[in-house]
């Protein structure tokens, strides 16, 4: 009884920390980070996700492309229920709500290796970002001259980085670099803050060319080291809860929609237009296999 009361109290506390967006009380609840929802809303600018054909312009980023592609795929596949967004400063890579069936799916795609570890609890979509397509920028404080002057792999010996082993591909990629130290911080916002305050030299983030590869949130600002990339060797997928009442229907729909979008070239086009899949002529992949 005590455990049940504690779980109910935890869920009530969690929901109370989020603002609800969407007028339909019967909509499917989706939890989302504040900054992602804000950029998503600004990019749509009144449009419906299914109406988006051009993914270039202000406020676009990998998380936003993920959200739109997922909704386009669901719609194409016949799943048309509206969504209600709860936004807040939580780490939505935490899969507890998906495992419990409190959350239908994650609009933030996840690495294949992480998705497979949850296979008992979630359905795993076909890849939305294929193996070899994911490149990350090296983001640091605009005042961190040491990090901004990276030119070659050996320069990492004097730098610290932050990530979490919960994101296995991220952690493995950074662990393979000759770093001074790799620090653990499980909350994404905590990672951003430590880099902003120069307690840690850098973190990996997707490129944001529409924002000149600058990330800003309240009093936080990070910039990407110019012309350098890290390649993360894994694919990314949407995960859908097996315990949610709509899980099976939504999985069938997203699979059907992703197949059509992939066949038409729309998925790769979207990530290229957003600058997430970059023109490699303009960059050095510093951890490229030689």
């Amino acid at each position: 009884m005590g455990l049940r009361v504690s779980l109910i109290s935890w869920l009530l506390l969690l929901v109370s920390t989020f603002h609800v967006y969407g007028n339909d009380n019967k909509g499917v609840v989706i939890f989302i980070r504040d900054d992602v929802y804000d950029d998503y809303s600004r990019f749509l600018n009144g449009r419906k996700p299914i109406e988006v054909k051009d993914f270039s312009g202000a406020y676009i980023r990998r998380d936003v492309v993920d959200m739109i592609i997922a909704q386009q795929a669901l719609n194409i596949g016949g799943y048309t229920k509206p969504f209600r967004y709860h936004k807040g400063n939580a780490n939505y890579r935490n899969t507890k709500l998906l495992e419990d069936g409190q959350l239908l799916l994650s609009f933030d795609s996840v690495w294949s290796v992480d998705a497979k570890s949850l296979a008992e609890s979630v359905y795993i979509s076909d890849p939305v970002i294929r193996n070899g397509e994911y490149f990350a920028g090296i983001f640091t404080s605009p005042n961190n001259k040491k990090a901004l002057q990276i030119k070659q792999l050996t320069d990492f010996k004097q730098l610290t980085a932050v990530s979490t082993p919960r994101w296995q591909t991220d952690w493995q990629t950074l662990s393979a670099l000759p770093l001074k130290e790799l620090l653990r911080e499980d909350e994404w916002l905590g990672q951003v803050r430590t880099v902003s305050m120069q307690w840690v030299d850098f973190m990996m983030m997707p490129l944001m060319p529409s924002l000149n590869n600058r990330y800003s949130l309240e009093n936080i600002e990070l910039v990407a080291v110019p012309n350098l990339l890290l390649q993360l060797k894994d694919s990314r997928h949407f995960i859908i809860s097996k315990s949610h009442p709509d899980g099976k229907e939504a999985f069938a729909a997203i699979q059907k929609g992703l197949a059509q979008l992939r066949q038409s070239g729309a998925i790769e086009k979207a990530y290229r237009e957003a600058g997430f899949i970059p023109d490699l002529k303009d960059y050095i992949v510093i951890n490229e296999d030689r």
Side-chain angles (χ1 to χ4, degrees), residues 55-211:
F55 286 80
S56 59
Y59 306 113
I60 196 65
R61 48 194 277 191
R62 194 269 304 164
D63 324 62
V64 173
V65 182
D66 279 3
M67 283 188 70
I68 295 171
I69 290 295
Q71 290 176 85
Q72 289 185 349
L74 287 166
N75 191 283
I76 291 169
Y79 187 86
T80 57
K81 289 186 179 181
F83 295 106
R84 285 191 299 140
Y85 295 102
H86 290 241
K87 72 173 194 172
N89 291 323
N91 185 344
Y92 294 107
R93 293 178 189 242
N94 185 328
T95 56
K96 180 64 176 174
L97 295 178
L98 279 164
E99 293 175 310
D100 291 343
Q102 301 293 324
L103 177 62
L104 173 60
L105 78 163
S106 171
F107 277 154
D108 186 4
S109 61
V110 302
W111 293 116
S112 172
V113 65
D114 296 325
K116 288 176 180 176
S117 70
L118 301 167
E120 290 187 5
S121 304
V122 301
Y123 300 107
I124 303 169
S125 80
D126 289 337
V128 63
I129 300 171
R130 296 170 295 194
N131 195 341
E133 291 181 331
Y134 197 110
F135 296 89
I138 301 165
F139 279 76
T140 186
S141 163
N143 300 314
N144 191 323
K145 295 181 180 179
K146 184 171 59 174
L148 288 169
Q149 291 172 353
I150 299 171
K151 300 296 182 186
Q152 54 193 359
L153 204 58
T154 54
D155 292 337
F156 284 103
K157 291 181 179 179
Q158 59 182 336
L159 300 180
T160 57
V162 62
S163 186
T164 171
R166 291 181 179 177
W167 312 337
Q168 295 184 57
T169 301
D170 300 59
W171 191 259
Q172 290 167 4
T173 300
L174 290 171
S175 295
L177 300 176
L179 295 170
K180 181 179 180 180
E181 187 177 4
L182 174 57
L183 293 94
R184 174 173 181 163
E185 167 54 59
D186 290 338
E187 294 296 327
W188 183 85
L189 190 57
Q191 296 175 17
V192 171
R193 285 174 173 153
T194 59
V195 176
S196 175
M197 299 177 76
Q198 298 191 65
W199 294 347
V200 181
D201 288 312
F202 76 93
M203 65 183 291
M204 293 189 300
M205 290 174 61
L207 295 174
M208 304 175 191
S210 67
L211 302 174

Side-chain angles (χ1 to χ4, degrees), residues 24-90:
D24 187 348
N25 291 328
K26 296 181 180 179
V28 178
V29 172
I30 296 291
F31 295 94
I32 185 169
R33 234 175 42 222
D34 298 68
D35 58 311
V36 177
Y37 180 82
D38 291 344
D39 283 344
Y40 165 77
S41 299
R42 291 173 185 139
F43 177 74
L44 286 182
N45 193 25
R47 295 174 295 174
K48 295 179 180 179
I50 196 67
E51 297 172 342
V52 177
K53 304 301 179 186
D54 185 344
F55 286 80
S56 59
Y59 306 113
I60 196 65
R61 48 194 277 191
R62 194 269 304 164
D63 324 62
V64 173
V65 182
D66 279 3
M67 283 188 70
I68 295 171
I69 290 295
Q71 290 176 85
Q72 289 185 349
L74 287 166
N75 191 283
I76 291 169
Y79 187 86
T80 57
K81 289 186 179 181
F83 295 106
R84 285 191 299 140
Y85 295 102
H86 290 241
K87 72 173 194 172
N89 291 323

